[in-house]
Amino acid sequence: MGDSSGSVSIDVERIFFGGKEHRVRTRHGTLSVSVYGDEDKPALITYPDVALNHMSCFQGLFFCPEAASLLLHNFCVYHITPQGHELGAAPISSDVPVPSVDDLADQVADVLDFFSLGAVMCLGVTAGAYVLTLFATKYRERVLGLMLVSPLCKAPSWSEWLYNKVLLNLLYYYGTRGLVKESLLQRYFSMEVRGNGQDPESEIVQACRSLLDERQGANVWRFLQAINRRHDLTESLMKLQCRTLIFVGENSQFHADAVHMTTKLDRRYCALVEVQACGSLVTEEQPHAMLIPMEYFLMGYGLYRPPQQETSPRSTLSLFCISPELLSPESMGVKLKPIKTRISLNV
């Protein structure tokens, strides 16, 4: 049994680090998109939070063997990296206009066109969740489902707007150092893993801290600027018909947004999972908490975790072949009332 689990994790590592990177020219600049898996499979599009890329935002989830077997068995994964957030990126010239959030959503459509993709599944975190939700409201026929982690959906409050303006000024002059770095880590993680005077900082926070050192402050500034100018999606959410699974850490700064979003989506197609003792970045802090809800959610599309023998799924992910009862929240294995899930810290 130990050998089997080891072989899975080694294979996941090979796949995760062995993807093909593409430079995709869009209407609003060139993006880096990393592709992992069999391109004949249905597509899963990911989009990270501010100052992160797929390595720092989704590695924990894909390195969880059970989640990796579920996602990589059923999907070809297309990790979209915000402009200038890829490893080794140069500063973007100040002459290049800062994109709006609508521009960012249109970039996602351009990525789908580049790879000749039809309707896709989406997985986004916080700012990335906002971009993919906006994309779903603008291009409804191109989104089959949304898996959102600590999502934003409203325009920033005055306090968030002012806080981000201070961060933007610090980013402009000092980059992702000092106070900016600490503020970003507070955005992502709960106090339990950030450490305090008694408990040390966890490895995932240390790794993220190191990755933030490599970010170009000017490029992060552009993405945060766009997100700080975002508009309210509440009215558009009511028109969405795709199934939506929302995760939020109970200690997330954006907990209220996630709950608000759940109340505005069609209750027949939406479920909320609240993860205890967790910040916004559930994909890194407690990825195991996402497994069972995702598994039940994807069952509604006829997608399952593989048996021991590998078989290549060729599902079209068509919603039209799903029986009505599978579209109910109960089919996801979760209730509309937030469910508290906890990973034992003693294990």
Side-chain angles (χ1 to χ4, degrees), residues 43-294:
L44 172 66
I45 304 294
T46 76
Y47 209 114
D49 192 18
V50 169
L52 301 177
N53 56 30
H54 73 278
M55 297 295 294
S56 47
C57 193
F58 299 104
Q59 180 173 295
L61 178 63
F62 281 88
F63 270 42
C64 173
E66 298 87 351
S69 66
L70 174 66
L71 296 175
L72 295 174
H73 175 73
N74 289 296
F75 295 103
C76 181
V77 183
Y78 297 79
H79 292 297
I80 296 178
T81 298
Q83 275 184 296
H85 283 51
E86 63 273 15
L87 290 176
I92 298 172
S93 170
S94 58
D95 296 332
V96 178
V98 175
S100 68
V101 286
D102 286 281
D103 293 338
L104 298 179
D106 291 340
Q107 284 183 329
V108 176
D110 292 341
V111 168
L112 267 59
D113 291 340
F114 178 86
F115 291 103
S116 301
L117 300 175
V120 300
M121 188 69 69
C122 295
L123 170 61
V125 176
T126 310
Y130 178 92
V131 172
L132 292 179
T133 304
L134 177 57
F135 168 71
T137 64
K138 295 183 70 172
Y139 301 90
R140 279 182 284 174
E141 73 286 352
R142 306 199 74 170
V143 177
L144 292 164
L146 292 169
M147 294 185 286
L148 307 175
V149 180
S150 304
L152 304 172
C153 69
K154 296 188 290 184
S157 63
W158 277 108
S159 58
E160 184 196 343
W161 181 87
L162 185 59
Y163 182 79
N164 284 342
K165 289 297 285 186
V166 173
L167 274 186
L168 285 163
N169 285 333
L170 291 172
L171 268 169
Y172 185 84
Y173 289 107
Y174 303 109
T176 54
R177 301 184 184 90
L179 183 59
V180 172
K181 186 189 296 184
E182 296 306 318
S183 298
L184 289 171
L185 292 174
Q186 288 178 22
R187 175 188 177 96
Y188 307 144
F189 299 110
S190 67
M191 188 177 295
E192 282 85 349
V193 294
R194 292 203 314 273
N196 49 45
Q198 296 178 335
D199 300 314
E201 193 173 73
S202 74
E203 290 183 4
I204 58 170
V205 178
Q206 292 174 16
C208 188
R209 182 185 293 278
S210 176
L211 287 166
L212 287 175
D213 287 335
E214 301 172 8
R215 290 288 166 274
Q216 293 287 348
N219 301 349
V220 176
W221 183 90
R222 291 168 55 84
F223 190 16
L224 183 58
Q225 180 81 294
I227 292 301
N228 207 35
R229 295 173 176 173
R230 68 185 185 271
H231 49 85
D232 196 323
L233 298 180
T234 299
E235 289 189 13
S236 301
L237 293 176
M238 300 176 184
K239 301 173 185 177
L240 276 183
Q241 291 298 312
C242 66
R243 300 172 70 219
T244 304
L245 177 60
I246 298 174
F247 297 92
V248 65
E250 69 170 349
N251 299 324
S252 169
Q253 298 176 10
F254 311 106
H255 185 280
D257 255 61
V259 173
H260 171 80
M261 187 173 188
T262 306
T263 64
K264 299 305 177 183
L265 288 163
D266 190 325
R267 284 179 169 265
R268 295 172 297 170
Y269 307 120
C270 173
L272 172 68
V273 178
E274 184 180 46
V275 184
Q276 285 189 340
C278 190
S280 298
L281 200 55
V282 184
T283 51
E284 292 294 316
E285 190 169 341
Q286 291 200 32
H288 288 85
M290 299 177 64
L291 175 63
I292 291 176
M294 281 198 310

